[in-house]
Amino acid sequence: MDLLRELNDPQKKAVLHKDGPLLVVAGAGAGKTKVITHRIAYLIQEGVRPEQILAVTFTNKAANEMKERITQLLRLNLDSKTAEVQPRLPAIGTFHSTCNRILRQNGHAINLPNNFSILDKEDSLKIIKNCLKEMAINPKQFQPSKIQNIISREKSNLVKLEEYTEKADQNFFPQTVATIWQGYESKLTEHKAVDFDDLIAKTVFLFQDRPDILKKYQKKWQYILIDEYQDTNRAQYMLSILLAKEHKNICAVGDEDQSIYRFRGADFGNILRFEKDWPNVKTVMLEQNYRSTQKILEAANAVIGQNKMRKPKNLFSQLEQGEKLTLFDALNEKEEAEFVAITSKNLISGGLKPFEIAVFYRANFQSRVLEESFLEQEVPYQIIGTRFFERKEVKDIISYLKVALNPNDLLSLKRIINEPPRGLGKTTLENHFSDKKITADKKIKMKQFFDFLNTIKKVAHEETLPKTLNFIIKKSGYYTYLNNGSEEGMMRLDNLKELLGLSLKYEKFEPPVGAEKFLEDTALMTEQDYDTNKNADEKKGKVRLMTVHAAKGLEFPCAFITGLEEGLFPFSRFGGPEENEEERRLFYVALTRAKQKLFLSFSCSRSFFGSRQINKPSRFINEIPPELFGEDFLNSGRELPTTNYLDM
């Protein structure tokens, strides 16, 4: 098979570069996934063993897409007799899943058991709240979510608790944070658990403290490819440096213009300094876009060109010129929402499929009025971002499995002790572990409960994951509890049925590997992976509503970008240069999701936190050349403003 046949010249250069550092600056829609997958297939074709290659990305969705594409490419290289054979694949996964595997195998070197639990954000927050309660610290003065964000930020920056405590000195606030952090770490140890940030930070510390273990992985993975490099934080950046410094065969793929996760600790400076970090690097620019029409790209280029902290690039398309953009100025958010819903309805009547339409907004609160208008117009819609694995009933059943496989997971144990109600509570559980006296009736119930957990463990070691989950749902009493004839009960049972359906893909694994892999995958889910809980047929019948952040990595024939007002998008009127450039990158990402039709809208007045305010149109509208907007400017009969928007 000719791996280069479908590639343009810059893509070919990236694929054919075998040894030494490589930077691929891939503009939106420029085929970066194709470059990564073809490069991996080329390396294997050139004699590199699959197990010597590590490919890292940020979402399970992206990792799975890579695996599928590489499998197809490698199969095409097999002869007809072996075409059905599953080719050997390199290690492909997210940063978190990769570090999870490393810690499972080597965590003992830092006193971490190999059956540790991974806490999600909700469970992590619960522990912090418990710490505040035990320490008698006022949660209004020290907000748990703020403390959680500080700890997360410090871990992502590879700051250890000891360093933070030392720097806190006599300052009251950081001293208190350090005290809470210490309690938090103690509870993590007690639960034999780690949080999301620990997975990467602890791996970096492991490699720094144990050069022998680092050497093992440097020898194992001699070619490293990192997707979305602009989204790496300090810990991910250092992990990449450590793994690649021996052989220097590192390929970073990304685009600083699409870096939109600064609030999570992402540092787009990592991709800008790549050429300084790796001497003799080869840099390839991918500027041909295969997604959007030329007019949409001209708008996107004009906007992002206002940013200073970037590598100059100019996206172009060999597709059609396309339609001009439509701009709608609404009197208020209700009129804006009606415009979006009615226009969507007309587009669907004209032949566009509902799932081919997306509506983007900067903040979640904007969805309410949009939903109302879609309901009024009877246009089916779906809010993207509902987290399936965080729904109570789903999390409860998963917690049963977690406790059965890790009895030290006290957080999950507390969650299910009385789910469904069985006359036991957290106080009884605490008394049980502290050998305090409990009634004979509760003692019997506690024994029955722990016997049931032991039975689950036995089933998990003997049966497939679907059978194990079905056993938990039925024998725990959860099915009977929800099957009460109420609409809510039926909806929650449907979610458990969906869980059983999702578990079928783990049926191929021998017990208890299937259960362990399932727990790992669900714990490492990212926001972009949560849109897997609805089947494809249902999705096809609905317009998608989502934040711009949730739209990253997606594309739609038609897109609406709403709420383009100063203070909303860009989000803050008082942001500094870095914040303003991040907001502009976010708008650039929104623009480049559209393939053919693009509608922009703003509201002259909008209700914020119960009060109505008058808004200036977003500066981003003014950065788009006027000739790119259609003459059929939609503005509810009002004249098209001719003045500079920012002077209004």
Side-chain angles (χ1 to χ4, degrees):
M1 175 207 175
D2 182 5
L3 286 171
L4 308 179
R5 188 178 60 220
E6 298 178 351
L7 305 179
N8 60 37
D9 288 341
Q11 289 174 333
K12 289 176 185 176
K13 290 178 183 177
V15 168
L16 293 174
H17 178 81
K18 184 181 178 185
D19 295 320
L22 171 67
L23 173 62
V24 181
V25 181
K32 69 178 178 65
T33 304
K34 175 179 278 191
V35 167
I36 294 171
T37 53
H38 279 68
R39 176 169 165 75
I40 290 173
Y42 173 76
L43 288 173
I44 294 172
Q45 184 176 281
E46 289 297 296
V48 178
R49 298 197 307 275
E51 55 268 25
Q52 292 179 316
I53 302 171
L54 170 67
V56 186
T57 187
F58 278 83
T59 68
N60 292 307
K61 179 182 175 183
N64 291 332
E65 183 182 353
M66 272 191 209
K67 289 176 186 177
E68 290 171 7
R69 289 204 197 185
I70 293 168
T71 299
Q72 292 172 359
L73 288 173
L74 294 180
R75 275 181 175 160
L76 290 174
N77 275 339
L78 298 171
D79 60 46
S80 58
K81 294 181 181 179
T82 58
E84 297 303 316
V85 175
Q86 179 71 22
R88 287 184 301 143
L89 292 177
I92 302 172
T94 65
F95 273 101
H96 291 97
S97 65
T98 301
C99 290
N100 177 59
R101 289 196 300 271
I102 293 171
L103 290 177
R104 297 282 181 194
Q105 296 167 5
N106 304 277
H108 57 85
I110 51 174
N111 298 316
L112 187 66
N114 61 9
N115 67 335
F116 60 81
S117 296
I118 303 170
L119 301 186
D120 60 22
K121 196 168 185 177
E122 181 188 341
D123 288 338
S124 169
L125 188 61
K126 279 183 181 178
I127 291 182
I128 290 173
K129 287 178 179 178
N130 289 338
C131 289
L132 290 172
K133 187 177 180 180
E134 291 175 7
M135 297 173 182
I137 296 174
N138 187 348
K140 291 183 179 179
Q141 185 179 6
F142 292 88
Q143 296 177 5
S145 59
K146 185 175 182 180
I147 301 300
Q148 183 183 44
N149 289 337
I150 292 172
I151 293 173
S152 174
R153 181 193 66 208
E154 296 301 321
K155 287 186 177 184
S156 295
N157 286 330
L158 297 177
V159 176
K160 295 182 178 180
L161 173 59
E162 298 78 16
E163 296 174 60
Y164 184 85
T165 303
E166 187 177 337
K167 284 191 292 185
D169 197 24
Q170 301 301 312
N171 193 306
F172 175 67
F173 185 84
Q175 269 192 338
T176 307
V177 172
T179 302
I180 298 169
W181 188 355
Q182 178 63 63
Y184 175 69
E185 291 300 322
S186 297
K187 288 194 178 293
L188 288 183
T189 302
E190 179 186 349
H191 296 322
K192 290 190 177 179
V194 299
D195 60 29
F196 240 48
D197 301 299
D198 281 327
L199 288 171
I200 300 175
K202 285 184 180 293
T203 303
V204 172
F205 294 145
L206 171 70
F207 285 162
Q208 290 174 336
D209 295 341
R210 291 289 301 271
D212 56 319
I213 295 176
L214 171 60
K215 193 80 173 175
K216 180 175 70 173
Y217 284 97
Q218 288 175 335
K219 183 178 180 181
K220 177 182 177 71
W221 294 321
Q222 297 182 20
Y223 289 84
I224 296 171
L225 299 92
I226 302 173
D227 189 18
E228 305 285 11
Y229 197 76
Q230 78 280 350
D231 291 334
T232 53
N233 59 27
R234 175 68 181 171
Q236 292 158 340
Y237 169 77
M238 283 305 302
L239 179 72
S240 308
I241 296 285
L242 288 168
L243 284 172
K245 71 177 183 179
E246 178 69 20
H247 297 283
K248 298 180 175 57
N249 295 323
I250 180 172
C251 170
V253 183
D255 177 16
E256 73 281 359
D257 289 340
Q258 297 184 74
S259 178
I260 59 174
Y261 297 117
R262 186 171 177 267
F263 66 97
R264 292 182 189 164
D267 180 5
F268 71 94
N270 291 342
I271 194 168
L272 293 178
R273 72 173 67 94
F274 189 87
E275 290 165 311
K276 292 182 179 178
D277 289 337
W278 301 95
N280 303 317
V281 62
K282 182 181 182 65
T283 300
V284 177
M285 303 281 287
L286 304 183
E287 297 174 284
Q288 183 174 347
N289 177 285
Y290 291 89
R291 175 189 300 153
S292 306
T293 62
Q294 185 62 31
K295 281 191 170 57
I296 292 174
L297 295 182
E298 286 174 12
N301 286 332
V303 170
I304 201 62
Q306 303 293 319
N307 275 5
K308 307 299 181 188
M309 296 176 283
R310 64 187 293 264
K311 281 180 173 292
K313 69 179 74 67
N314 196 59
L315 294 183
F316 68 92
S317 173
Q318 292 185 349
L319 303 173
E320 70 271 19
Q321 282 289 311
E323 301 177 19
K324 291 187 175 184
L325 286 61
T326 298
L327 179 64
F328 181 78
D329 68 320
L331 286 171
N332 52 46
E333 68 268 31
K334 177 64 175 173
E335 187 178 76
E336 181 187 42
E338 287 175 350
F339 160 70
V340 174
I342 292 171
T343 306
S344 296
K345 189 174 186 176
N346 292 338
L347 289 169
I348 293 168
S349 297
L352 210 58
K353 301 289 191 302
F355 73 96
E356 295 178 319
I357 302 172
V359 182
F360 305 142
Y361 39 84
R362 178 63 180 84
N364 279 307
F365 77 85
Q366 294 173 254
S367 68
R368 181 192 59 79
V369 68
L370 286 165
E371 288 189 77
E372 289 176 359
S373 290
F374 272 85
L375 286 169
E376 287 172 5
Q377 297 300 323
E378 298 182 338
V379 178
Y381 69 90
Q382 177 189 5
I383 297 284
I384 301 298
T386 303
R387 298 188 171 196
F388 178 71
F389 290 102
E390 289 186 5
R391 291 174 178 170
K392 183 184 184 305
E393 58 277 4
V394 173
K395 198 162 183 178
D396 285 348
I397 297 305
I398 291 175
S399 292
Y400 271 101
L401 185 60
K402 288 170 72 175
V403 174
L405 296 181
N406 178 11
N408 292 293
D409 189 346
L410 301 181
L411 203 65
S412 295
L413 185 60
K414 288 178 181 178
R415 181 183 183 91
I416 61 171
I417 187 66
N418 204 41
E419 295 290 346
R422 55 174 61 89
L424 296 174
K426 294 176 183 177
T427 302
T428 305
L429 186 64
E430 289 168 2
N431 290 342
H432 169 79
F433 281 114
S434 60
D435 292 327
K436 290 184 179 179
K437 190 174 182 179
I438 58 177
T439 65
D441 177 55
K442 290 191 183 295
K443 191 175 288 186
I444 292 171
K445 288 181 179 179
M446 288 294 289
K447 184 179 184 307
Q448 291 173 340
F449 176 69
F450 282 107
D451 285 346
F452 177 56
L453 292 179
N454 287 328
T455 305
I456 295 174
K457 182 177 182 179
K458 186 173 183 293
V459 172
H461 279 77
E462 295 175 355
E463 301 288 353
T464 62
L465 176 65
K467 289 184 178 179
T468 301
L469 291 179
N470 191 53
F471 175 83
I472 294 171
I473 292 168
K474 296 288 180 63
K475 297 300 180 180
S476 67
Y478 220 103
Y479 180 85
T480 303
Y481 174 60
L482 294 182
N483 192 26
N484 55 15
S486 70
E487 184 177 349
E488 182 188 358
M490 292 300 101
M491 289 176 63
R492 294 176 66 188
L493 275 178
D494 284 343
N495 288 332
L496 293 184
K497 289 175 184 175
E498 181 74 17
L499 178 66
L500 289 173
L502 289 172
S503 72
L504 289 173
K505 70 176 183 177
Y506 297 89
E507 200 169 24
K508 61 186 177 183
F509 296 102
E510 290 292 323
V513 176
E516 293 168 347
K517 182 159 179 50
F518 168 76
L519 291 179
E520 175 187 323
D521 288 350
T522 54
L524 299 177
M525 281 283 180
T526 63
E527 288 178 11
Q528 289 89 341
D529 297 316
Y530 279 114
D531 187 31
T532 60
N533 58 307
K534 299 293 182 183
N535 61 55
D537 291 335
E538 183 177 346
K539 286 180 184 176
K540 286 182 179 179
K542 297 182 179 180
V543 175
R544 314 292 182 82
L545 277 59
M546 68 190 81
T547 64
V548 183
H549 282 99
K552 178 82 183 293
L554 303 178
E555 58 183 49
F556 301 91
C558 174
F560 293 82
I561 307 176
T562 63
L564 285 168
E565 301 136 31
E566 287 293 306
L568 181 55
F569 201 179
F571 193 68
S572 174
R573 298 175 189 269
F574 309 107
E578 291 187 4
E579 288 80 5
N580 285 331
E581 290 212 355
E582 172 112 347
E583 288 293 303
R584 188 173 282 108
R585 291 194 295 270
L586 189 58
F587 182 54
Y588 172 80
V589 166
L591 291 171
T592 54
R593 300 310 95 194
K595 297 168 74 174
Q596 289 138 13
K597 293 179 181 289
L598 184 58
F599 297 86
L600 310 182
S601 63
F602 65 91
S603 175
C604 296
S605 76
R606 186 179 297 273
S607 178
F608 274 100
F609 305 108
S611 63
R612 183 158 294 280
Q613 65 183 44
I614 305 301
N615 306 308
K616 287 183 179 180
S618 171
R619 67 193 69 182
F620 300 150
I621 296 174
N622 213 47
E623 292 169 357
I624 297 174
E627 62 269 19
L628 293 178
F629 289 111
E631 293 180 4
D632 56 338
F633 179 82
L634 299 175
N635 65 340
S636 303
R638 296 184 301 283
E639 292 183 3
L640 171 64
T642 56
T643 57
N644 184 302
Y645 288 128
L646 294 183
D647 293 335
M648 292 175 65

